[in-house]
Amino acid sequence: MSPSRPRTLLDLLEQRDALTPQQTAFFWDDQPFSFEALWRGANRFAAFLLELGVARGDRVLIRLANGPDFFEAFYGVLRAGAIAVPLFPASGPERIAALAQLCGANILVVPDADSEAISGLRAVSVADSAHCAPHAPFPAVAPDDVAFLQYTSGSTGTPKGVMLTHHGLLTNIGQLIEGMALTASDCFVSWLPVYHDMGLIFMTMVPFYLGAKLVLLPTALANARPWLIAIARHRGTVTAAPDFAYRLTLRHVREPAAYDLSSLRLALNAAEPVRPTTIEEFERAFGLHNVLIAGYGLAEATVGVSTWTPGTAPLVDARGVVSVGRPFSGIDIQIIEDSEPLTAGRIGEIVVRSPANTRGYYGDQAETARLFWRDAYIRTGDLGYLDDAGHLFVTGRLKNIIKHGGETIFPQEAEQIADRLPLVRRSAAVGIDSGGPEGEQLYVFAELSKAGGYGEPELHDAALDMVQAIHAQLGIRPGRVYLLRPHSIPLTPNGKTQHAALRDLYFSGDLRARKAILFPDY
């Protein structure tokens, strides 16, 4: 008898436990963890939460890194009828307390409950549930119930909790599977953090749904070799990462021929602007062909909005912007300006209508109202355009565009140029208006590959090379170029540049106070 279509994420795991209990749900540290073990662990933790008085709809914070404990805690929270709130594992007490207040949580799941003490929160661990029987009477969970809250970084304001329902999650899982032709025979290899949407939904929920092999790795990407070794060893067919991860791999892996990635048929490049040079250089280095595909998504649409089918060559426009493909089944995209739709080829804000769209932000009616455009479309805050064939090109963030002399500059244009220079590790371009008659100017902040060892002439030449390269390709000269120590540019927990936060650090003088600026030294 074939299983019925799951109506909730819990149905999905319960069916896996009933039909294929000994099948491996995922590998962690080269050890297999079965669906039976995952389901029983989740039930034990749910029973423990019920003992603590957790009620249906309560919010539970989860500050756990990749690994078995995260899954038992996450699905245990859902099994108890509560709402999971995954957190960046390195979140400090202030952020945890702020998010707890925003969502009204009073329980925090951590690796070691004895070592945590945050005012107003009860710290618990998965190990605390070892005594519980996994057969408690659990609350009924409905498809329209909120499964978890995905909080935004909050770099430009108060963090917002995107409400994701069981129905929305299962809908988007289906869209991803169909759109990327994923099957049960695929092998997923992921180091992406499970506390974030792409790592949690695309790289764990999708293989759970398919019953496909999943190899999960720690999130630390200081060394990309374990990622490559796992793909080669397990003959991985599907992986995913933001563009910067592929670039870092190229920078740090000196002998790419030592890693056999020939089994890969799909390497999703998403979560930040996709660079054509990244696709070209990564595929050339590892002997791949049309394996890296660009994709687009956002938490407010659950995760996936558009991409290409595997084996498709990249489509790049005259400005060097890589298309992120056509929308998944059931999704409609429009481009608007001043709340009116634009015709093909014109750049404006991207709005998305999907059956997987969020119902809004938890406890924030004002921001929820601002999120929606007419006919249930959500405003993404991203800029882009559709070509005549319906391919989407994402050109930047609405809040990050730079107005220079009446011209619109997208940060990624200058960043792609700067990042190709020899000494540069990572760059960020922002618009700075110092109050002068010239208005907003392009400022480029570039982290160097190392913290020291440079002479003054070498730094001067590097800054001059950057100015000349940007002028040659964009026709404008940056107002200033600052060369920074590594790790000086603020990033979100999943690796995106925080342009607004960088601008604030500059204006406040914090960059100089932290001795982050190596050149100029005045």
Side-chain angles (χ1 to χ4, degrees):
M1 182 179 68
S2 60
S4 60
R5 185 178 180 85
R7 299 170 66 248
T8 69
L9 294 175
L10 298 172
D11 291 346
L12 169 60
L13 289 188
E14 189 170 25
Q15 288 177 7
R16 286 283 166 213
D17 174 64
L19 298 173
T20 56
Q22 298 310 311
Q23 181 180 341
T24 298
F26 61 94
F27 287 84
W28 173 256
D29 196 22
D30 283 333
Q31 298 298 312
F33 288 81
S34 69
F35 280 108
E36 179 181 46
L38 171 56
W39 183 239
R40 290 192 177 185
N43 277 266
R44 276 194 303 271
F45 192 69
F48 174 61
L49 292 176
L50 294 176
E51 283 185 5
L52 296 180
V54 169
R56 195 175 188 278
D58 284 354
R59 281 72 57 203
V60 177
L61 304 178
I62 302 174
R63 191 181 66 76
L64 295 173
N66 286 14
D69 279 4
F70 177 89
F71 292 122
E72 293 189 16
F74 180 85
Y75 290 103
V77 170
L78 272 54
R79 184 63 160 151
I83 299 172
V85 186
L87 305 179
F88 176 44
S91 294
E94 289 185 3
R95 178 170 174 82
I96 294 172
L99 293 180
Q101 184 174 12
L102 283 172
C103 70
N106 54 31
I107 290 180
L108 170 67
V109 188
V110 292
D112 182 2
D114 293 335
S115 64
E116 301 284 345
I118 296 178
S119 178
L121 289 173
R122 174 165 181 172
V124 301
S125 71
V126 170
D128 293 337
S129 66
H131 68 280
C132 294
H135 303 295
F138 298 109
V141 175
D144 286 335
D145 287 348
V146 176
F148 76 98
L149 304 180
Q150 178 73 70
Y151 268 94
T152 62
S153 63
S155 60
T156 58
T158 302
K160 299 185 287 290
V162 181
M163 295 186 286
L164 298 177
T165 66
H166 288 268
H167 172 74
L169 287 158
L170 289 169
T171 298
N172 199 223
I173 287 169
Q175 291 169 328
L176 293 164
I177 290 171
E178 179 186 356
M180 287 186 272
L182 303 168
T183 72
S185 61
D186 276 312
C187 172
F188 291 69
V189 178
S190 180
W191 58 268
L192 295 178
V194 291
Y195 60 81
H196 197 263
D197 48 16
M198 187 161 73
L200 177 57
I201 302 167
F202 176 53
M203 293 302 290
T204 73
M205 291 182 185
V206 166
F208 286 175
Y209 187 99
L210 291 169
K213 182 177 180 179
L214 167 60
V215 180
L216 187 66
L217 306 170
T219 57
L221 199 65
N223 180 0
R225 293 175 184 83
W227 181 27
L228 304 180
I229 290 170
I231 293 171
R233 178 179 176 187
H234 291 274
R235 307 306 295 154
T237 62
V238 178
T239 195
D243 196 85
F244 82 88
Y246 294 106
R247 298 199 308 271
L248 281 178
T249 301
L250 289 168
R251 187 180 295 261
H252 295 301
V253 176
R254 299 186 182 278
E255 297 183 10
Y259 304 93
D260 179 8
L261 306 189
S262 60
S263 60
L264 276 179
R265 68 178 193 88
L266 188 163
L268 180 64
N269 186 333
E272 67 174 16
V274 178
R275 303 182 180 185
T277 52
T278 303
I279 295 175
E280 178 184 347
E281 292 171 8
F282 192 92
E283 291 198 337
R284 182 171 61 245
F286 291 97
L288 306 174
H289 181 64
N290 293 341
V291 167
L292 263 71
I293 59 171
Y296 172 68
L298 66 161
E300 287 82 351
T302 296
V303 63
V305 170
S306 69
T307 190
W308 299 86
T309 55
T312 307
L315 177 63
V316 185
D317 71 6
R319 299 180 76 160
V321 179
V322 180
S323 171
V324 292
R326 291 191 181 95
F328 293 122
S329 175
I331 296 179
D332 184 61
I333 293 173
Q334 291 202 44
I335 309 297
I336 66 170
E337 184 177 59
D338 296 329
S339 291
E340 293 302 321
L342 298 177
T343 56
R346 295 186 61 191
I347 293 176
E349 184 180 7
I350 302 166
V351 294
V352 174
R353 183 173 62 188
S354 169
N357 277 357
T358 180
R359 65 176 61 159
Y361 300 117
Y362 186 84
D364 197 332
Q365 293 182 353
E367 286 297 326
T368 296
R370 280 190 281 269
L371 175 65
F372 287 96
W373 185 60
R374 63 183 70 160
D375 299 327
Y377 286 84
I378 56 171
R379 295 177 176 269
T380 66
D382 292 317
L383 289 169
Y385 70 92
L386 293 166
D387 68 9
D388 290 330
H391 300 115
L392 177 63
F393 293 79
V394 182
T395 55
R397 287 289 291 169
L398 188 62
K399 63 187 178 185
N400 292 334
I401 61 172
I402 302 165
K403 292 291 187 179
H404 177 88
E407 297 291 327
T408 297
I409 302 168
F410 301 108
Q412 68 193 69
E413 295 179 292
E415 291 164 2
Q416 288 188 52
I417 297 166
D419 285 352
R420 288 199 290 267
L421 299 176
L423 300 185
V424 176
R425 176 181 182 274
R426 185 187 195 112
S427 67
V430 299
I432 299 290
D433 188 343
S434 300
E438 68 278 3
E440 195 169 51
Q441 298 289 296
L442 170 65
Y443 277 41
V444 181
F445 298 82
E447 294 179 359
L448 299 180
S449 300
K450 55 185 180 180
Y454 302 105
E456 182 76 11
E458 190 176 11
L459 294 175
H460 178 274
D461 289 347
L464 183 61
D465 288 346
M466 193 175 301
V467 171
Q468 293 176 338
I470 292 172
H471 180 258
Q473 295 188 47
L474 300 184
I476 62 169
R477 297 183 187 278
R480 295 297 294 268
V481 166
Y482 288 98
L483 305 182
L484 310 179
R485 296 181 184 277
H487 308 292
S488 297
I489 295 173
L491 306 175
T492 65
N494 59 318
K496 292 182 183 178
T497 300
Q498 293 184 303
H499 293 83
L502 176 61
R503 188 185 293 109
D504 291 344
L505 289 174
Y506 172 77
F507 275 123
S508 68
D510 278 3
L511 282 179
R512 187 74 67 186
R514 298 177 184 181
K515 302 188 184 302
I517 300 175
L518 296 174
F519 181 88
D521 58 0
Y522 53 86

